[in-house]
Amino acid sequence: MVNSVDVNLIRKLCDKLGLSTRVSEDGERVLCILEADENFRHDVVMVLSPFDSGKRFDISGYGGVKVPKEKLAEALMRINKHHNDSICPKTCIDKDMDIVAQYSIWVEHDVSEEFLIEDFIQPVISTTWGFFRDNFSDYVK
């Protein structure tokens, strides 16, 4: 059982899922690239990060989708529809007009590694890929 997460634990859990990872240059995050395929023609960069002394575990996804100003309203409508239809991941358009998907959990009490893998990492990564594929394939070339 674990009651906090760190970069080493995150890598270990990703290894169990067969995900290829590397640690960010600052040593504070784990990066995982979901490679482009015929359904979504851009890599999705997943960033797995511990915060608040390991008590918060965030996963963010960046699909390389930059929203042109003339498509901002349409993109926001797609994001709003996703939020209406789905719990995870939460999505937004950042200040650089990139679409970001993100989800967090608190690890304040003992949880198993299996819980972190099966009920957090795997479903968040899967639903993040699905979000970009299902909503923004037409935004990437």
Side-chain angles (χ1 to χ4, degrees):
M1 301 296 273
V2 298
N3 60 14
S4 66
V5 295
D6 62 21
V7 167
N8 292 326
L9 176 61
I10 293 170
R11 285 198 87 186
K12 175 183 169 185
L13 300 175
C14 287
D15 287 347
K16 287 184 177 185
L17 278 169
L19 298 171
S20 176
T21 63
R22 68 177 178 86
V23 175
S24 63
E25 288 182 17
D26 63 12
E28 296 181 3
R29 293 175 288 283
V30 175
L31 308 174
C32 173
I33 308 292
L34 306 178
E35 294 183 2
D37 67 12
E38 66 278 355
N39 297 309
F40 188 71
R41 295 177 307 275
H42 196 281
D43 293 346
V44 175
V45 178
M46 302 301 300
V47 181
L48 298 86
S49 310
F51 289 102
D52 299 319
S53 302
K55 296 299 182 186
R56 193 177 91 210
F57 184 3
D58 291 0
I59 300 178
S60 299
Y62 303 85
V65 177
K66 189 169 283 293
V67 179
K69 288 185 181 182
E70 64 272 9
K71 289 191 171 189
L72 180 59
E74 176 188 326
L76 288 171
M77 286 176 41
R78 292 180 189 193
I79 287 171
N80 286 343
K81 181 176 181 345
H82 166 76
H83 286 174
N84 188 57
D85 296 344
S86 304
I87 295 171
C88 170
K90 295 301 176 198
T91 55
C92 67
I93 299 173
D94 70 10
K95 63 180 174 55
D96 298 320
M97 301 299 285
D98 294 312
I99 295 178
V100 181
Q102 192 269 334
Y103 203 73
S104 301
I105 61 167
W106 289 94
V107 185
E108 297 178 303
H109 304 287
D110 287 345
V111 296
S112 67
E113 290 183 2
E114 290 73 25
F115 168 81
L116 292 172
I117 291 169
E118 296 170 10
D119 295 319
F120 184 58
I121 297 172
Q122 193 281 326
V124 171
I125 287 175
S126 176
T127 57
T128 297
W129 176 266
F131 164 75
F132 284 108
R133 179 199 62 219
D134 296 343
N135 294 289
F136 291 99
S137 290
D138 57 330
Y139 278 58
V140 296
K141 303 218 184 279

